[in-house]
Amino acid sequence: MRKILVLTGGGDCPGLNTVIRAIVKSAHEQKDVEVFGSIEAYNGLLRSPQEIVKLTNKEVAGIHVKGGTIIGTTTKGGPFGFPTQMEDGSWQELDRSDETVAMIKDMGFHCVISIGGDGSQAISQKLYEKGMPVIGVPKTIDNDLSATDYTFGFQTAVQEATTAVDKLVSTAESHHRVMILEVMGRNAGWIATHAAIAGGAEVCLIPEIPYDINKVKEKIESRYKDGKGFVIVVIAEGAFQKDGQITSKESDEIGYENVRLGGVAHQLTEQLKRAGCTADIREMILGHLQRGGTPNSFDRVLATLYGVKALELALSNDFGKMVIFKDHEINAVPIKDAIDSYNTVEPNGYMVGTGKSVGISFGD
Ligand code: F6P
């Protein structure tokens, strides 16, 4: 009997459960494979007592439609920096990577399938280099992994953002206001660009194109010529003004290593007012609504393709690989290549070009 350990790491994302279900169900078809889940990424393995659960068809029945992850996840630390409270009450991040690799071997796991974004895949690669058999499954609503055309969760996030634009249009139109919708995406403007095109926004501001506030103001004013009008601005959380800085906040959460983005919509309002924009402006930060809830059908299919392929790689001992969806094919690439470069929106590419062709200003 071969034992596979599955874990989910990093921020949650619609479709995680769908991948878990696909792995478990396809393992069930193999007869000689058992699947286990480590709770909250590697925490379940490293905690004492351990938190490792057996996953059978019973546990995964119907979870493909559920948001979140039934085995939990974490954005805090990992085997290379495991947050640990010391006797004096202080917290330190301990390197427990060698122990992790040894545990996987000693507990008889054939391999680990790690479902996560760039941070989790970087951890997988380092553990792989230390001798741990691992397969990666790319996850993030940001769609910022270059090896794959799509990460699951992205399309669901875009749908949420588009629905928000559609709703904001009616209130913006009624009050002749500028409505600024801030969406997630970290340093990639994919969610913003897709939602702006799908929702018919007038302005789309993304990290890849630092904006000129006067150009944004001009676009807004062009919509108010007859004293009426309204404007929808979609802004990615990582967007910033030319010569300006990204809007971020410090995190006081122990072991949390990411830069916390958010709040650029309010900054934009301030900048517009300072530039002399007289329109009434309201902001809406969509936040984690983009990440919660049911994955849409595209993401369910993609997640299932990923799960089945990941198990196939695991059982053929094709370790150190990450599953990808490229050019309408399910495939795999070495994890080290997959984390090499980010997938960001090309300022001169077809998405921005198409947006501009239908009148969207990118603030440049
Ligand atoms: O990477 C996914 C993501 O949702 C980003 O778009 C966002 O900046 C970040 O995670 C939020 O992270 P957290 O849930 O830890 O605040």
Side-chain angles (χ1 to χ4, degrees):
M1 194 59 92
R2 283 171 291 180
K3 295 200 301 176
I4 307 283
L5 186 67
V6 176
L7 49 91
T8 48
D12 72 327
C13 164
L16 285 171
N17 282 328
T18 321
V19 181
I20 296 169
R21 173 180 173 272
I23 294 168
V24 171
K25 284 188 80 83
S26 98
H28 181 79
E29 297 296 314
Q30 301 286 327
K31 315 283 184 232
D32 64 338
V33 185
E34 282 180 329
V35 182
F36 294 82
S38 171
I39 300 299
E40 292 170 12
Y42 289 95
N43 289 352
L45 186 76
L46 294 171
R47 273 184 193 142
S48 182
Q50 282 186 323
E51 291 178 67
I52 291 184
V53 291
K54 189 163 181 197
L55 298 171
T56 69
N57 275 357
K58 184 164 167 264
E59 281 76 33
V60 302
I63 67 167
H64 55 296
V65 302
K66 289 189 183 154
T69 158
I70 60 162
I71 50 177
T73 187
T74 179
T75 45
K76 296 174 190 167
F80 291 89
F82 193 76
T84 310
Q85 190 154 29
M86 311 313 280
E87 274 176 14
D88 63 0
S90 66
W91 285 85
Q92 276 189 25
E93 294 191 358
L94 304 184
D95 183 352
R96 298 183 63 184
S97 54
D98 289 333
E99 198 185 334
T100 303
V101 178
M103 272 182 181
I104 293 297
K105 194 164 162 244
D106 295 346
M107 292 173 73
F109 285 113
H110 179 74
C111 99
V112 172
I113 298 180
S114 172
I115 312 167
D118 52 344
S120 306
Q121 302 307 335
I123 290 173
S124 292
Q125 175 60 23
K126 289 205 277 175
L127 291 170
Y128 176 64
E129 284 165 12
K130 283 184 174 245
M132 191 183 88
V134 61
I135 304 294
V137 178
K139 159 255 52 154
T140 168
I141 62 165
D142 305 336
N143 204 39
D144 58 357
L145 293 175
S146 60
T148 187
D149 287 340
Y150 291 112
T151 50
F152 64 86
F154 168 66
Q155 298 286 354
T156 304
V158 168
Q159 188 56 58
E160 285 300 316
T162 304
T163 302
V165 173
D166 293 347
K167 288 185 177 174
L168 291 177
V169 165
S170 56
T171 169
E173 193 172 14
S174 306
H175 287 271
H176 307 300
R177 279 178 175 157
V178 177
M179 298 294 306
I180 303 176
L181 174 69
E182 178 179 318
V183 299
M184 283 184 166
R186 296 205 76 79
N187 304 107
W190 290 113
I191 299 175
T193 313
H194 279 72
I197 292 176
E202 284 71 39
V203 180
C204 176
L205 304 176
I206 57 175
E208 294 86 343
I209 307 177
Y211 56 87
D212 176 340
I213 197 67
N214 292 314
K215 293 276 169 57
V216 180
K217 179 175 159 259
E218 268 167 36
K219 177 70 186 183
I220 290 172
E221 286 172 349
S222 74
R223 298 263 306 168
Y224 281 93
K225 281 206 178 104
D226 58 356
K228 294 206 169 118
F230 70 95
V231 176
I232 300 293
V233 178
V234 179
I235 186 165
E237 60 181 0
F240 53 94
Q241 200 178 352
K242 264 185 195 159
D243 304 320
Q245 279 180 352
I246 214 157
T247 307
S248 63
K249 19 184 190 277
E250 287 290 312
S251 173
D252 56 1
E253 297 169 13
I254 293 154
Y256 188 89
E257 281 163 2
N258 289 338
V259 174
R260 278 195 71 191
L261 302 182
V264 69
H266 298 296
Q267 295 285 336
L268 180 63
T269 301
E270 292 304 313
Q271 292 160 358
L272 282 167
K273 294 283 174 202
R274 275 201 299 274
C277 180
T278 53
D280 293 340
I281 308 176
R282 295 290 187 274
E283 312 86 10
M284 208 248 143
I285 300 179
L286 195 54
H288 290 78
L289 279 179
Q290 288 154 101
R291 263 179 35 189
T294 272
N296 70 9
S297 51
F298 181 93
D299 284 333
R300 288 185 210 177
V301 174
L302 186 59
T304 304
L305 291 167
Y306 279 167
V308 169
K309 181 71 179 175
L311 187 77
E312 184 191 308
L313 292 171
L315 298 184
S316 50
N317 300 344
D318 204 355
F319 305 128
K321 298 270 179 72
M322 187 186 90
V323 297
I324 57 163
F325 180 71
K326 196 94 185 158
D327 302 328
H328 297 278
E329 294 277 350
I330 280 288
N331 235 312
V333 291
I335 299 174
K336 73 169 168 17
D337 296 346
I339 56 178
D340 239 18
S341 64
Y342 280 100
N343 173 31
T344 51
V345 178
E346 172 53 55
N348 299 314
Y350 69 96
M351 282 300 287
V352 172
T354 300
K356 286 182 175 173
S357 296
V358 293
I360 299 175
S361 164
F362 286 79
D364 60 343

Short mmCIF file of all heavy atoms in Angstrom, two decimals, residues 75 140-142 184-186 237 256 258 260-261 288 291, ligand 1:
data_model
loop_
_atom_site.label_atom_id
_atom_site.label_comp_id
_atom_site.label_asym_id
_atom_site.label_seq_id
_atom_site.Cartn_x
_atom_site.Cartn_y
_atom_site.Cartn_z
N THR A 75 -0.53 30.68 6.49
CA THR A 75 0.41 31.56 5.80
C THR A 75 1.57 31.89 6.73
O THR A 75 2.34 32.82 6.47
CB THR A 75 -0.29 32.88 5.39
OG1 THR A 75 -1.05 33.34 6.49
CG2 THR A 75 -1.18 32.70 4.20
N THR A 140 -3.64 29.80 -6.59
CA THR A 140 -3.71 31.19 -6.16
C THR A 140 -4.75 31.93 -6.99
O THR A 140 -4.84 31.71 -8.21
CB THR A 140 -2.37 31.96 -6.26
OG1 THR A 140 -2.62 33.35 -6.08
CG2 THR A 140 -1.66 31.76 -7.58
N ILE A 141 -5.51 32.76 -6.33
CA ILE A 141 -6.47 33.58 -7.09
C ILE A 141 -5.72 34.61 -7.93
O ILE A 141 -6.28 35.17 -8.86
CB ILE A 141 -7.49 34.30 -6.17
CG1 ILE A 141 -6.80 35.27 -5.22
CG2 ILE A 141 -8.37 33.32 -5.43
CD1 ILE A 141 -7.74 36.27 -4.56
N ASP A 142 -4.45 34.87 -7.60
CA ASP A 142 -3.71 35.94 -8.28
C ASP A 142 -3.29 35.58 -9.71
O ASP A 142 -2.94 36.46 -10.48
CB ASP A 142 -2.45 36.31 -7.48
CG ASP A 142 -2.76 36.68 -6.04
OD1 ASP A 142 -3.91 37.08 -5.77
OD2 ASP A 142 -1.86 36.55 -5.20
N MET A 184 -8.03 42.11 -5.27
CA MET A 184 -6.76 41.49 -4.86
C MET A 184 -5.88 41.20 -6.07
O MET A 184 -6.20 41.58 -7.19
CB MET A 184 -7.06 40.20 -4.09
CG MET A 184 -7.51 40.43 -2.67
SD MET A 184 -7.73 38.85 -1.82
CE MET A 184 -7.84 39.40 -0.12
N GLY A 185 -4.79 40.46 -5.82
CA GLY A 185 -3.91 40.07 -6.92
C GLY A 185 -2.43 40.26 -6.64
O GLY A 185 -1.60 39.98 -7.48
N ARG A 186 -2.12 40.81 -5.46
CA ARG A 186 -0.74 41.13 -5.09
C ARG A 186 -0.06 41.96 -6.18
O ARG A 186 -0.60 42.98 -6.55
CB ARG A 186 0.07 39.86 -4.76
CG ARG A 186 -0.47 39.12 -3.54
CD ARG A 186 0.57 38.30 -2.85
NE ARG A 186 1.47 39.12 -2.06
CZ ARG A 186 1.18 39.61 -0.86
NH1 ARG A 186 0.01 39.38 -0.30
NH2 ARG A 186 2.06 40.33 -0.21
N GLU A 237 -4.92 45.85 -5.82
CA GLU A 237 -4.37 46.24 -4.51
C GLU A 237 -2.88 46.62 -4.58
O GLU A 237 -2.39 47.40 -3.78
CB GLU A 237 -4.56 45.11 -3.50
CG GLU A 237 -3.85 43.82 -3.91
CD GLU A 237 -4.04 42.67 -2.92
OE1 GLU A 237 -4.71 42.83 -1.90
OE2 GLU A 237 -3.49 41.58 -3.21
N TYR A 256 3.81 35.60 10.24
CA TYR A 256 3.24 36.02 8.95
C TYR A 256 4.30 36.79 8.17
O TYR A 256 4.79 37.82 8.63
CB TYR A 256 2.01 36.90 9.18
CG TYR A 256 1.23 37.23 7.93
CD1 TYR A 256 0.22 36.40 7.48
CD2 TYR A 256 1.50 38.39 7.20
CE1 TYR A 256 -0.51 36.70 6.34
CE2 TYR A 256 0.79 38.70 6.06
CZ TYR A 256 -0.22 37.86 5.64
OH TYR A 256 -0.94 38.16 4.50
N ASN A 258 4.18 37.58 4.63
CA ASN A 258 3.79 38.36 3.46
C ASN A 258 3.64 39.84 3.80
O ASN A 258 3.34 40.18 4.95
CB ASN A 258 2.43 37.87 2.93
CG ASN A 258 2.55 36.51 2.28
OD1 ASN A 258 3.62 36.11 1.85
ND2 ASN A 258 1.44 35.79 2.23
N ARG A 260 1.32 42.83 3.76
CA ARG A 260 -0.15 42.94 3.68
C ARG A 260 -0.53 44.13 2.82
O ARG A 260 -0.29 45.27 3.19
CB ARG A 260 -0.77 43.08 5.07
CG ARG A 260 -0.93 41.73 5.75
CD ARG A 260 -1.84 41.84 6.94
NE ARG A 260 -3.22 42.05 6.54
CZ ARG A 260 -4.19 42.37 7.39
NH1 ARG A 260 -3.93 42.54 8.65
NH2 ARG A 260 -5.43 42.52 6.96
N LEU A 261 -1.13 43.84 1.69
CA LEU A 261 -1.57 44.90 0.80
C LEU A 261 -3.00 45.29 1.16
O LEU A 261 -3.67 44.58 1.91
CB LEU A 261 -1.49 44.43 -0.65
CG LEU A 261 -0.11 43.97 -1.13
CD1 LEU A 261 -0.18 43.57 -2.60
CD2 LEU A 261 0.92 45.07 -0.95
N HIS A 288 -11.61 39.55 0.93
CA HIS A 288 -11.63 38.09 0.93
C HIS A 288 -12.90 37.48 0.34
O HIS A 288 -12.97 36.26 0.19
CB HIS A 288 -11.37 37.57 2.35
CG HIS A 288 -9.95 37.82 2.77
ND1 HIS A 288 -9.53 39.06 3.18
CD2 HIS A 288 -8.87 37.01 2.80
CE1 HIS A 288 -8.24 39.00 3.47
NE2 HIS A 288 -7.81 37.76 3.24
N ARG A 291 -12.06 35.30 -2.33
CA ARG A 291 -11.40 34.02 -2.05
C ARG A 291 -12.32 32.97 -1.44
O ARG A 291 -11.99 31.80 -1.42
CB ARG A 291 -10.24 34.27 -1.09
CG ARG A 291 -8.95 34.40 -1.81
CD ARG A 291 -7.78 34.67 -0.97
NE ARG A 291 -7.71 34.09 0.33
CZ ARG A 291 -6.77 34.41 1.22
NH1 ARG A 291 -5.87 35.31 0.90
NH2 ARG A 291 -6.73 33.85 2.38
O1 F6P B 1 -2.25 35.60 -2.75
C1 F6P B 1 -3.62 35.57 -2.57
C2 F6P B 1 -4.09 36.76 -1.80
O2 F6P B 1 -5.49 36.70 -1.69
C3 F6P B 1 -3.66 38.11 -2.38
O3 F6P B 1 -4.40 38.47 -3.49
C4 F6P B 1 -3.79 39.00 -1.17
O4 F6P B 1 -2.93 40.11 -1.21
C5 F6P B 1 -3.38 38.08 -0.05
O5 F6P B 1 -3.56 36.77 -0.50
C6 F6P B 1 -4.14 38.30 1.23
O6 F6P B 1 -3.58 37.48 2.17
P1 F6P B 1 -4.18 37.27 3.63
O7 F6P B 1 -5.42 36.45 3.50
O8 F6P B 1 -3.10 36.54 4.33
O9 F6P B 1 -4.47 38.61 4.20
#
